[in-house]
Amino acid sequence: MAEENKWQAGGEGGDNEEENEIDDTAYKAVKDAVLFAIEISPSMLKAPPASDSTKADTDSPASAALKCAYALMQQRIISSPKDMTGILLYGTELTKFKEEGGAQMGLAYPHCYVLADLDLPGAEDLKALKTLIEDKEEFEKLLVPTEEVVSMASVLFCANQIFTTKAANFASRRLFIVTDNDNPHATSKALRSAAAVRAKDLYDLGVIIELFPISKPGTSFERANFYDDIIYSASPSDPDAPAPLATAAKTSTGDGITLLNSLLSSINSRAVAKRALFSNMNFEIGPGFKISVNGYRIFKRQDLKRRCHVWLNGEKAQIAKGISTQIADDTARQVEKGEIRKAYKFGGAQVTFTPDEISELRCFEDPGIRIIGFKPMSMLPIWANVRPSTFIYPSEEVYVGSTRVFAALQQKLLRDQKMGVAWFVARKNAVPVVAAIVPGDEKLSDEGDQLVPAGLWLIQLPFADEIRQNPETMLKRAPDSLIDKMRTVITQLQLPKGEYRPERYPNPALQWQYRILQALALEEEIPEHPEDKTLPKYRQIDKRVGAYIEDWAKELQKLSLAEAEAKGSASAPAAKRSGSPKVKDEGEPSKRVKRADAAAGISDAEMKKHYENNTLHKLSIPELKGWMYLNRLGLSGKKSALIKRIEEFLG
């Protein structure tokens, strides 16, 4: 029976039960719908004051918000092709809203203008939005602010209708509000209450509201005035999930326009929904003492999207789906799935198992986390992290009070600098592993935003079978004078605050591929060079440590010359030595070092002659190693490895 290829997402294959790692395919494949709600008001359309600085902003807050939405749509069209993005303008003089059947319905949502329908972004949609942003006349014609009071309840109800009709079955739905008005209904208690009711309806629907505030010059944006009543901190799909890695940036200082442009990275980081790798797993702290936790993959390597085969002979291009079939070698007969059994080699024989026996063999025990002891944090080496770490957070669904117990454990481990050692089975049929439970404290940015939530991290530890021996190497310690000069260089090149911030360095290979695909799809000019923020800034490096590096190089040259002179004087008597054995002095040891003795008898010319005559195998191992030692070649391995190394050196 034909079955779909294993590389297809969601395909069922016969080897799925043998997969040991956590299956996070569903975690990556969550469909997401993002709707931008951008306020149009005189203050949002006001351009920043003129400045002589080349880095000064020239966009109004509304224009910057549209460019931010355009950049996100441009990125998601390739990186997340199944995600939807839309733009809703509110506070406009014009009104535009389409029902699912295509009929215009603007009276129910006055001053709400759907600029881009919530849909899979296409090349034509991006072109139209880019034209609007670049065409100043069209921009000013469309974005005319109304003089009437715009009800936020109407805006939220319009967003509710859009999500219900366009993305009813999406697991993640988000509403991004961009505004500079921190209190739109300061004089109307009824409008505030109505907005709170509509916000609760969105939350019950599973929609998360995110606020991206812009502060006006000279004033700060106060969330407590209005938006604290309509924005919920918990996720409706997962109330126990930790807070996001990056929250909306505060705008109490500086102009909000520059800040809004920088919010694009924050929007990208929150565009993917939080989803547990495992939910409500038993966490056994002691015999009979259990709580429930969820596990999250907070850091996930992003790879290039897999290419697909496309069939172009139809009216519309379609993705080709491959299938595989088992064929018998002797008769070319199609083999049914029930005829195949799995086998393992043992002593030259094939030991076969039925599917039930395989399932019973691989099911070691039920999934769970069980603490088996505690150790000091200093006993955890840096090389012990062999798998991506998992962030665990308490859940109250199975055991009430899990949060209180979890917090007490996390604080106790953090205070005493201890770690837990646990027996961890991630899922059914998974191989049990030993994991370290490391406490993590909350980390905040300079502005007070949360960078990393407080919780516990599961770090899979290696077994004895997974540890490899270090290769044999000849290490030579540098003199203290060189180390001191290099210490100055390293100190001057430290990263800010001595920490690496990954959000500042996008993957250049990913961004380059996305940029090429975007240029081809949007019929833009193909860039000549990729933007790589990981490249060293050589001018700044030379300005900071150029003189120190020159001093280090001079010291290295000085030490190298002294070492060469010492070697030359030591090897001069060896060159004059004849073939007759040397008479030993009374005070000389009777046993000489083998390396020095072998090196004295094998010169470079002799070794070269052996190489040319292909007679290196006639030399003894001490003779080979003695010559290799003086030429700074590795001395590890058997005789064949030594000869190969010499041949590569002389070849």
Side-chain angles (χ1 to χ4, degrees):
M1 180 177 61
E3 53 181 295
E4 293 188 0
N5 278 338
K6 311 300 183 295
W7 49 262
Q8 293 181 3
E12 295 182 359
D15 294 333
N16 284 351
E17 59 187 305
E18 296 191 14
E19 184 64 37
N20 296 332
E21 296 182 359
I22 295 177
D23 183 11
D24 57 356
T25 303
Y27 170 78
K28 295 186 294 183
V30 174
K31 292 193 293 185
D32 187 28
V34 173
L35 178 65
F36 281 87
I38 303 174
E39 183 183 11
I40 303 301
S41 63
S43 59
M44 288 286 289
L45 295 174
K46 185 178 180 181
S51 175
D52 297 333
S53 175
T54 56
K55 298 182 179 181
D57 287 307
T58 58
D59 298 322
S60 63
S63 176
L66 288 175
K67 289 183 178 180
C68 181
Y70 171 79
L72 180 64
M73 292 174 65
Q74 192 179 34
Q75 182 181 22
R76 286 160 67 96
I77 194 174
I78 296 177
S79 61
S80 305
K82 295 183 179 181
D83 292 346
M84 288 186 176
T85 309
I87 302 176
L88 170 66
L89 307 179
Y90 69 94
T92 57
E93 187 68 30
L94 300 176
T95 300
K96 177 186 175 183
F97 182 82
K98 285 185 179 181
E99 284 287 0
E100 192 170 1
Q104 295 283 350
M105 183 179 176
L107 298 178
Y109 315 108
H111 309 298
C112 293
Y113 191 94
V114 179
L115 181 63
D117 289 331
L118 185 63
D119 202 349
L120 301 178
E124 296 300 327
D125 300 328
L126 288 176
K127 290 180 182 179
L129 182 57
K130 184 178 181 181
T131 302
L132 174 64
I133 294 174
E134 295 177 350
D135 191 343
K136 186 177 180 180
E137 182 178 350
E138 184 68 19
F139 183 89
E140 294 177 350
K141 179 181 178 181
L142 179 62
L143 276 65
V144 178
T146 181
E147 297 180 357
E148 301 178 7
V149 177
V150 180
S151 171
M152 287 301 298
S154 177
V155 175
L156 297 177
F157 188 37
C158 180
N160 191 326
Q161 187 69 15
I162 293 174
F163 281 118
T164 303
T165 57
K166 299 291 186 180
N169 298 323
F170 275 47
S172 171
R173 290 174 287 187
R174 298 161 184 266
L175 177 64
F176 290 172
I177 299 179
V178 184
T179 178
D180 64 349
N181 188 358
D182 59 0
N183 197 359
H185 302 313
T187 59
S188 177
K189 188 175 181 180
L191 290 178
R192 291 175 61 93
S193 300
V197 171
R198 294 301 183 188
K200 184 63 168 60
D201 293 341
L202 281 172
Y203 182 82
D204 294 338
L205 188 65
V207 177
I208 299 177
I209 302 177
E210 299 276 8
L211 176 66
F212 295 91
I214 304 175
S215 61
K216 299 177 182 178
T219 60
S220 61
F221 193 100
E222 299 293 340
R223 300 168 185 256
N225 291 342
F226 175 78
Y227 285 98
D228 281 352
D229 296 334
I230 70 170
I231 295 180
Y232 296 81
S233 58
S235 167
S237 60
D238 191 358
D240 297 321
L245 285 178
T247 58
K250 294 182 179 180
T251 56
S252 57
T253 59
D255 64 312
I257 303 171
T258 301
L259 196 55
L260 182 59
N261 288 324
S262 67
L263 285 178
L264 181 59
S265 60
S266 178
I267 293 175
N268 288 335
S269 66
R270 285 182 288 168
V272 179
K274 297 185 295 290
R275 182 165 178 175
L277 291 177
F278 51 81
S279 301
N280 303 320
M281 178 176 286
N282 286 337
F283 183 15
E284 185 177 350
I285 302 176
F289 184 24
K290 299 179 181 179
I291 62 175
S292 56
V293 295
N294 294 343
Y296 303 89
R297 180 70 53 83
I298 293 184
F299 304 102
K300 174 66 181 171
R301 176 180 173 84
Q302 184 70 20
D303 297 319
L304 295 173
K305 295 298 179 181
R306 186 186 296 273
R307 295 174 297 177
C308 59
H309 298 281
V310 180
W311 184 62
L312 301 175
N313 292 337
E315 297 181 358
K316 185 178 180 181
Q318 301 180 35
I319 297 179
K321 294 183 178 180
I323 59 174
S324 61
T325 305
Q326 303 288 346
I327 302 294
D329 290 338
D330 52 353
T331 62
R333 179 181 63 87
Q334 180 176 332
V335 181
E336 301 294 336
K337 186 176 181 181
E339 301 179 61
I340 302 175
R341 298 184 66 177
K342 293 189 176 180
Y344 293 91
K345 289 184 178 181
F346 183 80
Q350 299 285 351
V351 182
T352 61
F353 294 89
T354 64
D356 293 338
E357 290 173 340
I358 288 287
S359 177
E360 185 178 355
L361 179 66
R362 297 197 59 82
C363 186
F364 197 87
E365 65 176 69
D366 293 332
I369 307 170
R370 182 171 68 250
I371 291 183
I372 57 179
F374 298 93
K375 293 290 184 181
M377 283 289 297
S378 58
M379 295 187 65
L380 181 65
I382 191 174
W383 49 262
N385 197 345
V386 296
R387 289 286 187 273
S389 56
T390 303
F391 183 79
I392 59 175
Y393 209 72
S395 170
E396 296 282 335
E397 292 189 22
V398 179
Y399 298 102
V400 178
S402 296
T403 303
R404 184 184 297 271
V405 176
F406 185 91
L409 176 63
Q410 183 260 349
Q411 294 171 11
K412 176 64 176 177
L413 293 176
L414 196 63
R415 182 169 57 251
D416 295 348
Q417 286 297 296
K418 299 282 187 180
M419 67 174 180
V421 180
W423 184 256
F424 176 40
V425 180
R427 60 184 180 85
K428 186 179 179 180
N429 296 338
V431 175
V433 299
V434 178
I437 301 179
V438 178
D441 199 4
E442 182 183 37
K443 292 185 179 181
L444 303 177
S445 65
D446 295 336
E447 294 78 17
D449 296 330
Q450 188 185 66
L451 298 176
V452 179
L456 296 176
W457 296 84
L458 275 176
I459 299 177
Q460 180 176 336
L461 301 177
F463 289 106
D465 314 79
E466 299 169 340
I467 299 177
R468 301 291 181 264
Q469 295 296 328
N470 292 330
E472 181 183 352
T473 55
M474 294 290 295
L475 298 180
K476 185 176 182 180
R477 189 180 186 278
D480 292 337
S481 57
L482 275 181
I483 296 176
D484 293 339
K485 291 184 179 297
M486 182 54 66
R487 183 180 291 109
T488 305
V489 174
I490 294 176
T491 304
Q492 293 295 325
L493 293 179
Q494 287 283 344
L495 291 172
K497 297 184 178 179
E499 62 179 359
Y500 170 70
R501 300 288 296 275
E503 63 271 13
R504 297 180 180 177
Y505 307 99
N507 188 330
L510 285 175
Q511 299 302 321
W512 178 239
Q513 186 192 36
Y514 293 162
R515 185 67 187 91
I516 294 295
L517 293 178
Q518 289 170 6
L520 294 175
L522 301 179
E523 299 178 356
E524 299 175 346
E525 292 185 4
I526 298 179
E528 296 181 358
H529 303 287
E531 181 183 3
D532 189 356
K533 293 186 178 180
T534 64
L535 291 176
K537 299 179 180 179
Y538 297 105
R539 185 172 299 178
Q540 296 184 11
I541 292 175
D542 181 67
K543 185 177 180 181
R544 278 181 131 181
V545 298
Y548 299 114
I549 292 178
E550 290 180 0
D551 293 343
W552 182 87
K554 292 178 181 178
E555 181 68 18
L556 176 62
Q557 185 179 15
K558 176 183 175 182
L559 294 173
S560 299
L561 291 175
E563 183 179 2
E565 291 177 359
K567 282 187 176 181
S569 60
S571 60
K576 298 178 181 179
R577 187 178 295 130
S578 61
S580 59
K582 180 181 177 182
V583 180
K584 293 186 294 184
D585 296 334
E586 295 182 359
E588 185 180 356
S590 60
K591 188 176 181 180
R592 297 177 57 86
V593 180
K594 288 186 177 181
R595 285 177 180 168
D597 184 58
I602 301 295
S603 64
D604 291 344
E606 291 174 335
M607 186 64 71
K608 183 72 172 178
K609 186 176 181 180
H610 281 293
Y611 167 72
E612 293 173 350
N613 296 333
N614 197 19
T615 57
L616 290 175
H617 62 279
K618 294 183 178 181
L619 298 176
S620 64
I621 291 180
E623 289 175 329
L624 294 174
K625 286 190 174 182
W627 185 85
M628 294 172 69
Y629 176 76
L630 292 180
N631 287 274
R632 298 182 179 181
L633 298 179
L635 305 179
S636 61
K638 297 182 179 180
K639 185 175 182 179
S640 59
L642 301 178
I643 293 175
K644 183 178 180 181
R645 204 169 296 141
I646 294 175
E647 290 175 345
E648 293 176 352
F649 180 78
L650 297 176

